[in-house]
Amino acid sequence: MKNNYQIVLFVITLLSPMVSAMQPMDESQLGEITGEGIGATFDNVVIHSGNYGDPDDFQIRYKLTENGPETLIFSELRFYRSGATPGQADSGGFFGTYDDPFFVGDLREISESYISSIDPEGDGTYVDENRTHVALYTGFPAADVSQLNRNFYSYSGKRFNAPSNVGSLSYYRGLPNGFFSGTPNVPLGNLEELTTQYEGYLAGQDARLDQATDKFDLHFRLDAITSANVNMNTDDQFIAFVDVEGARLYGTSSYIWSHSRQNEVLGQTEINKYRNNSAPVQADYGLAMAMTTGLRADVIRISADPRVSDPVTQEAAKASILELRDVDMYLPMGSVDQPMTISTVQYSQIQRGTWKNPTYLPASTQLRIEIAALPKEVQQAPQGNIYVQSLSFGDPNDEEVITGREDIYLRDASGNIIATVPDVIHRAFVPKTVIYNEQVDLYNKNNPLNEIPLIPNQNVIEIKGIEIQRMIITTQDL
């Protein structure tokens, strides 16, 4: 034991001069630092918690009031490889590789895209150039992967040359008129060629993600205790189960750096105005962030009935289920030109109960999260898109969600009907293309030597071009 102490003291003695010699560096000095940060890969990743109330359950409780019973409870947290049985020894999956790891701790120099008058050295000498920052970079596996266009109609553009059929009953963008009708032959033009190209375009991203990470499933339970249900059983306190199946991230990274109002000075006039009537004024200093998050998931499911987890009663609980299928979400939050900033500000809030005739309280320090207006020199903010292929509400056999029953005419690559499936159930918020492809899959399974092509699926939800023009969130004392 004595020798161990001697070794520790010897190491501390060697390190003491190094520690005492450490000095702070400015951004220009930080920008000269080289290094690739820390890369990490993870094998057999799994998190498992038992059911709520079981001896092996794991709970996170968040008290909403100081003295009351109001509490949010997160439990049953499970994170495991898709297709595996949760709780089993082989349920873990891999996350990151040597060539594409989880990346943290890298210092990177980033530059704004427009030229402005700045004082880079802080000595009163202004120059016209791009402002640069040294940022701390964090990147998940497949951080360099971009979102794909999941709308076949816009992907194919003007390259789709399908003849127009007069007298067709319906028209689906990206498919020839009359494709779903009973017409024996519908000329398909170059539909098969473009479909093959589109499948390859999408499959390329899947192959890239397969190399970076396994698909994972996530499950957790949410309960809420209130003064009204504090003495009731857990079913009365239940809010929802949340399940995400076949999920993995892509294009997910963040840059974090310090900001000081872009070297601008906050004048006393602005400060007084801000304190008097809470007008929005950019904060003095803090952290700046530019983040992007991409998520692919086969299913996102919310179940609002606790009986859905019981094999005996789950059929009765199906009406409580909402499913989003084949989800692709890509959401940017700030950029180097328009960062999201986290700062402290002086804020004069209105005294509670005086909103009609406001009485302002003395200014106090509050937290502000802000995305400032896009500089006029930058023409476009980062945009995100959300695609959801189909939705499912409740029991799929519930007549309330069934919109009708129609024959499905299956066609070969030449557009000829080769089989008819009678009285196929059609459901709300499920595109006709999805229903058609379900029948194609069944046909091909039964006829492996005479398979017919799938058609490009449409999406029931497309939210495109999401961008934040301006955002301010300021905390207040209650």
Side-chain angles (χ1 to χ4, degrees):
M1 183 64 70
K2 180 179 179 180
N3 289 337
N4 290 341
Y5 281 123
Q6 290 176 339
I7 293 173
V8 172
L9 288 173
F10 177 68
V11 172
I12 292 176
T13 303
L14 288 177
L15 292 178
S16 295
M18 298 171 58
V19 174
S20 62
M22 293 178 66
Q23 299 291 332
M25 294 182 292
D26 59 29
E27 287 205 356
S28 62
Q29 293 172 314
L30 284 171
E32 297 173 358
I33 294 177
T34 60
E36 296 298 329
I38 298 174
T41 65
F42 303 90
D43 291 323
N44 297 319
V45 177
V46 62
I47 300 173
H48 184 76
S49 169
N51 291 332
Y52 185 51
D54 287 352
D56 61 341
D57 78 336
F58 170 79
Q59 298 181 12
I60 299 175
R61 290 175 172 257
Y62 179 63
K63 291 284 291 182
L64 301 177
T65 57
E66 185 174 352
N67 298 316
E70 286 75 16
T71 305
L72 281 178
I73 304 173
F74 295 89
S75 63
E76 298 189 9
L77 179 60
R78 297 166 195 154
F79 184 77
Y80 54 96
R81 177 174 48 83
S82 295
T85 302
Q88 298 298 312
D90 62 348
S91 61
F94 81 92
F95 180 76
T97 65
Y98 178 82
D99 295 320
D100 190 4
F102 172 73
F103 220 110
V104 67
D106 189 18
L107 293 177
R108 298 189 179 184
E109 189 173 83
I110 55 177
S111 299
E112 296 173 0
S113 63
Y114 61 97
I115 295 175
S116 57
S117 180
I118 63 174
D119 179 8
E121 303 298 331
D123 58 2
T125 303
Y126 284 82
V127 295
D128 292 334
E129 61 182 33
N130 302 84
R131 183 181 283 109
T132 61
H133 310 277
V134 175
L136 184 68
Y137 171 77
T138 300
F140 284 75
D144 60 335
V145 175
S146 301
Q147 188 177 39
L148 300 183
N149 182 357
R150 295 194 171 273
N151 182 304
F152 175 73
Y153 180 72
S154 63
Y155 167 85
S156 59
K158 297 180 180 180
R159 296 178 295 163
F160 184 34
N161 302 315
S164 175
N165 295 321
V166 179
S168 62
L169 298 177
S170 60
Y171 173 65
Y172 286 78
R173 295 198 310 171
L175 292 175
N177 288 338
F179 183 88
F180 295 114
S181 71
T183 305
N185 177 269
V186 174
L188 302 184
N190 62 341
L191 175 63
E192 183 181 15
E193 176 187 354
L194 287 178
T195 299
T196 301
Q197 293 177 9
Y198 188 58
E199 289 174 349
Y201 165 75
L202 298 179
Q205 187 188 76
D206 288 334
R208 172 72 172 79
L209 296 181
D210 287 341
Q211 295 175 351
T213 175
D214 276 329
K215 286 185 176 183
F216 285 90
D217 291 355
L218 170 68
H219 169 88
F220 65 88
R221 170 177 172 149
L222 180 63
D223 292 76
I225 298 176
T226 66
S227 57
N229 66 18
V230 64
N231 295 318
M232 297 181 181
N233 61 39
T234 56
D235 284 357
D236 295 311
Q237 299 167 352
F238 175 84
I239 294 181
F241 292 118
V242 177
D243 291 275
V244 182
E245 298 178 357
R248 50 190 173 188
L249 297 175
Y250 72 92
T252 300
S253 64
S254 69
Y255 291 88
I256 302 176
W257 66 99
S258 63
H259 80 91
S260 56
R261 288 208 70 225
Q262 311 288 27
N263 292 327
E264 297 172 347
V265 178
L266 186 64
Q268 190 62 41
T269 301
E270 289 178 294
I271 293 176
N272 291 337
K273 179 181 179 183
Y274 177 67
R275 289 181 173 176
N276 287 336
N277 59 18
S278 302
V281 173
Q282 192 175 2
D284 291 317
Y285 56 86
L287 291 177
M289 303 181 185
M291 302 180 291
T292 56
T293 302
L295 171 68
R296 291 273 308 278
D298 295 336
V299 176
I300 298 177
R301 181 185 305 109
I302 301 174
S303 309
D305 190 327
R307 296 176 300 168
V308 78
S309 64
D310 187 333
V312 178
T313 59
Q314 61 184 0
E315 286 294 323
K318 282 186 177 180
S320 73
I321 298 175
L322 167 64
E323 282 189 356
L324 287 71
R325 297 172 180 166
D326 202 352
V327 179
D328 186 342
M329 305 171 60
Y330 182 79
L331 301 173
M333 183 65 74
S335 67
V336 62
D337 293 320
Q338 189 192 27
M340 181 177 71
T341 58
I342 300 178
S343 316
T344 56
V345 295
Q346 293 295 306
Y347 187 83
S348 297
Q349 66 188 66
I350 299 173
Q351 182 177 346
R352 294 174 64 86
T354 68
W355 292 284
K356 188 173 182 180
N357 298 300
T359 298
Y360 288 91
L361 299 173
S364 60
T365 301
Q366 300 293 338
L367 181 69
R368 163 166 287 190
I369 301 173
E370 177 179 5
I371 293 181
L374 190 71
K376 64 180 180 180
E377 296 86 356
V378 182
Q379 298 181 358
Q380 181 64 62
Q383 292 187 332
N385 306 291
I386 299 176
Y387 299 98
V388 179
Q389 189 175 101
S390 64
L391 297 179
S392 174
F393 291 96
D395 187 342
N397 296 317
D398 189 339
E399 291 295 333
E400 295 295 327
V401 299
I402 294 176
T403 58
R405 292 169 172 81
E406 295 181 356
D407 295 347
I408 291 291
Y409 303 97
L410 302 180
R411 299 183 183 275
D412 61 18
S414 300
N416 299 309
I417 295 177
I418 52 89
T420 300
V421 185
D423 296 328
V424 175
I425 294 176
H426 290 58
R427 298 178 178 86
F429 304 104
V430 180
K432 183 106 174 180
T433 53
V434 175
I435 296 172
Y436 177 89
N437 283 333
E438 289 175 350
Q439 299 304 317
V440 171
D441 285 335
L442 292 174
Y443 178 87
N444 289 341
K445 183 178 180 180
N446 295 324
N447 299 273
L449 300 180
N450 188 32
E451 293 187 349
I452 58 176
L454 298 164
I455 59 175
N457 273 323
Q458 293 180 327
N459 304 300
V460 70
I461 295 177
E462 291 186 6
I463 306 175
K464 305 177 74 172
I466 302 170
E467 62 182 71
I468 297 178
Q469 297 286 348
R470 184 80 168 98
M471 182 184 78
I472 299 176
I473 300 174
T474 306
T475 61
Q476 296 190 37
D477 297 326
L478 299 178

